[in-house]
Amino acid sequence: MIASTVIYERTQPFTETGVRLRIDDASATLNVSGDPNNPKPIRVTELAISYKAAETHTGGTTETVVEVTNITYRLDHDDHKVAYVHPTHLDQPHEWPTWVAELVDHYRPSGMGGAQ
């Protein structure tokens, strides 16, 4: 089960939206070892996602460009309580766990190309 909350929304000159997801699924884990051959999965209890949307005007067309600007994990572990997606990987959903990429897309605010 996942409970979602919009934690902030700002507009002008672009739209920023933050979404917090409480995750009760024990299979939602993050490998904090950095080594796929020696994984250290830790259960994720919350996921916070920030989105930024801006309109671009090219010729006679207007397009809304959406980017993920932050992904933060709250972990169920005494020594590792929080983890982040490195900024250079925010535009690389193929590098994220599959369940994270699916949630990022699913909870993308309406008007930004996804479901709310």
Side-chain angles (χ1 to χ4, degrees):
M1 181 174 136
I2 296 177
S4 66
T5 305
V6 174
I7 52 177
Y8 66 88
E9 188 167 56
R10 295 182 204 122
T11 58
Q12 301 301 329
F14 50 82
T15 301
E16 279 186 303
T17 303
V19 179
R20 181 179 136 199
L21 306 173
R22 284 191 329 235
I23 302 170
D24 294 328
D25 184 349
S27 68
T29 62
L30 182 66
N31 177 9
V32 296
S33 76
D35 181 358
N37 297 320
N38 186 22
K40 280 184 169 177
I42 295 179
R43 186 168 142 359
V44 177
T45 59
E46 290 185 13
L47 189 65
I49 310 161
S50 298
Y51 302 91
K52 178 180 171 182
E55 290 185 348
T56 60
H57 305 281
T58 307
T61 63
T62 300
E63 180 183 358
T64 301
V65 177
V66 178
E67 62 182 293
V68 176
T69 58
N70 186 39
I71 298 175
T72 304
Y73 303 91
R74 176 172 243 170
L75 306 173
D76 186 18
H77 193 277
D78 290 338
D79 295 330
H80 306 284
K81 296 197 182 284
V82 178
Y84 305 90
V85 172
H86 192 278
T88 60
H89 293 277
L90 288 171
D91 63 349
Q92 300 172 20
H94 61 280
E95 297 285 330
W96 310 337
T98 302
W99 65 270
V100 173
E102 290 171 355
L103 289 175
V104 166
D105 189 51
H106 181 77
Y107 286 95
R108 188 177 307 267
S110 62
M112 290 183 162
Q116 184 171 359

